[in-house]
Amino acid sequence: MTAEKGFRSKGVSAESEDLARLFATIAVAAGALAMETFAKPDIEARLKGDKSPVTEADERVEAYLLRELEVALPGVPFLAEESVARGKTLDVNDVFLLIDPIDGTREFLARSSDFTINVALAEKGAPRAGAVYAPAQGRVWFAGALGYEAEAGPGGSLPPAQDWRPLRVRPRPADGLVALISKSHLDAETKSFLSSHQIMRSAPIGSSVKFCLLARGEADVYPRFGPTMEWDTAAGDAVLRAAGGATLDPHGAPLRYGKKDVDYRNGPFVAWADASRRDGNATLP
């Protein structure tokens, strides 16, 4: 029996919790590989075909994650950033894995602590479970039906459940929203969104950490209009949804996964902590 069928032997909630713990555990273990490169005096990088940078850490972390996932979930197809960059194609079905070994490679090269390791599983177009690990911060966020945060050193173990902090988004503040924006991709559309909403303060944050800060109740909205891929968002989106938030497309529908017709690219989206009380009826300006 393949894992794709085998992990459905439990109830949906129990399965997703098991997956979340699995993803968090292997992401934390992979963090040691990322930090080995991060600690080098000079980090070598090259440009891929899409002009984005790739480092030794991206490739080593992805190779480790894929080995561990093949053992734990044999037969489940995957969509992984560096594998796709090398020409691997994927005909996704209802269930598949999404792997972003280093989200925020530019932050990694700049010695920022915002870069993350991301593992998620999507089913029927939605992220079912995911884990986001920030090795340089020693923090991991993971979610199935419920979302949690924990402290874990790179290469260490996921702490026991009593040390996990439940994640829950906050209600919309009466005095205005805290918006999280990309450090590397602040565009005219984002500026327009900020000016047309009741934004009290905006903060530039790198990588999928933005989803996690929404999930832990530190901010209210994350607009993104520049290009992203499904592996960039799936794990953080899983964490945010489990905490009570939503990531919505221009039509106000949840961001969908498995978009083979557009090569798994995301269009514009806005991630909301309190989606029920977003400004106006439209998600985007």
Side-chain angles (χ1 to χ4, degrees), residues 88-129:
K88 176 180 172 57
T89 59
L90 171 66
D91 291 326
V92 302
N93 49 25
D94 280 351
V95 179
F96 66 102
L97 295 159
L98 298 103
I99 297 102
D100 190 349
I102 302 290
D103 184 41
T105 301
R106 289 183 176 86
E107 313 309 326
F108 184 89
L109 290 167
R111 310 289 182 171
S112 166
S113 66
D114 284 350
F115 70 90
T116 57
I117 297 170
N118 298 260
V119 185
L121 182 137
E123 182 171 18
K124 296 181 179 179
R128 179 177 175 186

Side-chain angles (χ1 to χ4, degrees), residues 3-4 13 40 84 92 109 135 157 159 198 200 205 228 238 249 270:
E4 183 177 341
S13 178
K40 290 183 177 181
V84 171
V92 302
L109 290 167
S157 301
Q198 188 184 357
M200 175 181 64
I205 302 289
T228 61
D249 70 14
V270 177

Side-chain angles (χ1 to χ4, degrees), residues 217-243:
E218 290 191 9
D220 306 293
V221 63
Y222 159 38
R224 182 61 182 261
F225 301 92
T228 61
M229 303 298 292
E230 291 185 13
W231 56 71
D232 292 314
T233 59
D237 193 3
V239 170
L240 178 59
R241 294 189 195 200

Side-chain angles (χ1 to χ4, degrees), residues 191-202:
K191 293 177 181 178
S192 176
F193 179 93
L194 296 176
S195 65
S196 62
H197 290 71
Q198 188 184 357
I199 305 298
M200 175 181 64
R201 177 172 61 87
S202 62

Side-chain angles (χ1 to χ4, degrees), residues 127-238:
R128 179 177 175 186
V132 175
Y133 181 48
Q137 300 179 23
R139 291 196 294 174
V140 61
W141 300 270
F142 54 103
L146 301 173
Y148 300 96
E149 176 185 28
E151 295 183 3
S157 301
L158 187 67
Q162 61 263 29
D163 294 332
W164 303 350
R165 176 182 178 268
L167 294 171
R168 195 66 192 169
V169 298
R170 69 185 187 184
R172 174 174 171 158
D175 55 352
L177 305 175
V178 173
L180 303 178
I181 57 176
S182 173
K183 278 185 177 178
S184 305
H185 303 280
L186 180 58
D187 49 28
E189 291 89 348
T190 301
K191 293 177 181 178
S192 176
F193 179 93
L194 296 176
S195 65
S196 62
H197 290 71
Q198 188 184 357
I199 305 298
M200 175 181 64
R201 177 172 61 87
S202 62
I205 302 289
S207 77
S208 55
V209 167
K210 293 185 284 295
F211 288 101
C212 302
L213 296 182
L214 293 177
R216 74 192 309 266
E218 290 191 9
D220 306 293
V221 63
Y222 159 38
R224 182 61 182 261
F225 301 92
T228 61
M229 303 298 292
E230 291 185 13
W231 56 71
D232 292 314
T233 59
D237 193 3

